[in-house]
Amino acid sequence: KMTIEQKLKSVAVREIIEDKKGTVWFGTSSGLVKYEDKKFTTYTTEDGLQNDDIWALTIDQKGIIWVGAVGGISQFDGKKFSPFALPNKKVENPQHMLSDKLVFKVVEDKNGIMWFATDGNGIFKYSNNTFTHLTDKNGLTDNSTADILDQKGNIWFSAEGFGVYQYDGTKFTQFTTENGLTTNVVQSIFQDQKGQLWFGTWQGISIYDNQKFTNAKDKEPWTN
C-alpha cells in the first residue's frame, strides 16, 4: 500500500491553501489532502466529495472550504461535505475542456461575493443567494477563464487567448497586447503589496502598475 507521501508524488497537485489554524490543504487529482500535526489525511468521494479530480480550492471568511472538481462543487466544514450546485444555465455551443460541471477557480472577494470560473461556461457570481451569469453575451469575449483576482472591488479575469478583463460590477474593460500585455494567453494573476498586478503568461510576466504594462520577458531570469 502506498504512503500518502508516495501518493502525492504520483498525482497532480493543483491548489494549496492554509487555514487560520495553520492546517495545509492540497487539492489533487486524487482527492482533498489535509496536512495537520505532521500527518496527512485524504478525503475522497467515499467521504462525500462530489469528485476526486480537484482543480479549485479556497477557504471563505467563515472557514468553509470550497472544492471545485470535475464532477462539481463541494463545501467542506471540516466534518462533512455538501454539494453546491451552480445554475443549469449554458452558453451557446460550450467548449468544455474536461467537464460541463468543472469549476477551475473559486474566489471570495472582500465583500463576501463568490466567483466561479467554469470550464467553458462563463463565470458565475454568487451574492445574497442569487447567481449572475457572465458570458460572451454580456461582456466577456470568451467563456473560458483561467484565474480570478479581487483588486479593491475590481474583479480581474484572465483568459487564455483574450488577455485580461477588469470588471467593476457594471462593465468590462479588456486589456490585450494592444495595451501592452506580452501575450494574450494569460494563465494567472497576482497582486503585490504595492498594488501592482502580475500576470503569468505563456511568454513571461507582464506587470501592471494600474496605468501601464511592463513586460519582464526580456529580463533575467526569464531569458537564457
Side-chain angles (χ1 to χ4, degrees):
K1 186 177 178 180
M2 293 177 66
T3 65
I4 186 64
E5 290 88 347
Q6 292 172 324
K7 186 178 180 181
L8 280 173
K9 292 180 180 178
S10 63
V11 302
V13 178
R14 301 193 180 99
E15 290 275 16
I16 304 173
I17 57 176
E18 182 180 9
D19 64 23
K20 292 180 179 179
K21 297 179 181 178
T23 302
V24 180
W25 300 83
F26 302 87
T28 81
S29 56
S30 296
L32 178 66
V33 178
K34 177 176 72 172
Y35 182 65
E36 184 179 39
D37 297 329
K38 298 183 179 180
K39 292 189 300 184
F40 289 99
T41 305
T42 302
Y43 300 90
T44 66
T45 51
E46 295 180 359
D47 303 290
L49 259 178
Q50 290 278 82
N51 184 270
D52 291 341
D53 194 0
I54 297 169
W55 287 78
L57 197 62
T58 196
I59 302 177
D60 67 18
Q61 297 170 12
K62 298 177 182 178
I64 301 297
I65 298 176
W66 295 71
V67 184
V70 170
I73 301 170
S74 299
Q75 293 175 306
F76 185 51
D77 63 4
K79 295 181 180 180
K80 70 173 184 177
F81 291 91
S82 302
F84 181 85
L86 293 178
N88 191 28
K89 294 181 179 179
K90 305 296 182 186
V91 299
E92 293 181 11
N93 302 313
Q95 301 295 317
H96 306 304
M97 186 177 80
L98 294 174
S99 164
D100 63 349
K101 295 182 179 180
L102 173 59
V103 170
F104 281 121
K105 199 75 178 180
V106 179
V107 170
E108 182 186 34
D109 69 20
K110 295 177 180 62
N111 296 316
I113 298 170
M114 303 299 300
W115 300 83
F116 306 95
T118 72
D119 182 5
N121 192 37
I123 296 163
F124 284 99
K125 173 185 176 182
Y126 182 63
S127 177
N128 296 322
N129 298 317
T130 301
F131 288 96
T132 303
H133 196 195
L134 306 176
T135 70
D136 59 353
K137 296 298 184 183
N138 55 16
L140 294 174
T141 304
D142 185 68
N143 291 313
S144 293
T145 300
D147 203 358
I148 305 174
L149 182 137
D150 176 19
Q151 186 198 38
K152 295 181 179 179
N154 287 316
I155 310 299
W156 288 79
F157 308 118
S158 67
E160 296 189 10
F162 298 92
V164 296
Y165 304 87
Q166 182 191 57
Y167 181 61
D168 65 4
T170 303
K171 69 178 187 303
F172 290 90
T173 302
Q174 185 179 13
F175 298 88
T176 66
T177 51
E178 293 183 2
N179 304 103
L181 269 175
T182 181
T183 174
N184 289 330
V185 185
V186 181
Q187 294 175 300
S188 60
I189 314 173
F190 173 80
Q191 183 176 5
D192 65 21
Q193 294 179 352
K194 297 178 181 178
Q196 297 182 123
L197 296 179
W198 295 62
F199 299 100
T201 80
W202 279 18
Q203 296 180 25
I205 293 174
S206 286
I207 306 167
Y208 183 60
D209 65 2
N210 297 295
Q211 291 184 331
K212 66 180 187 304
F213 287 92
T214 302
N215 295 324
K217 74 184 183 78
D218 296 324
K219 302 176 182 179
E220 294 289 352
W222 315 111
T223 56
N224 295 323

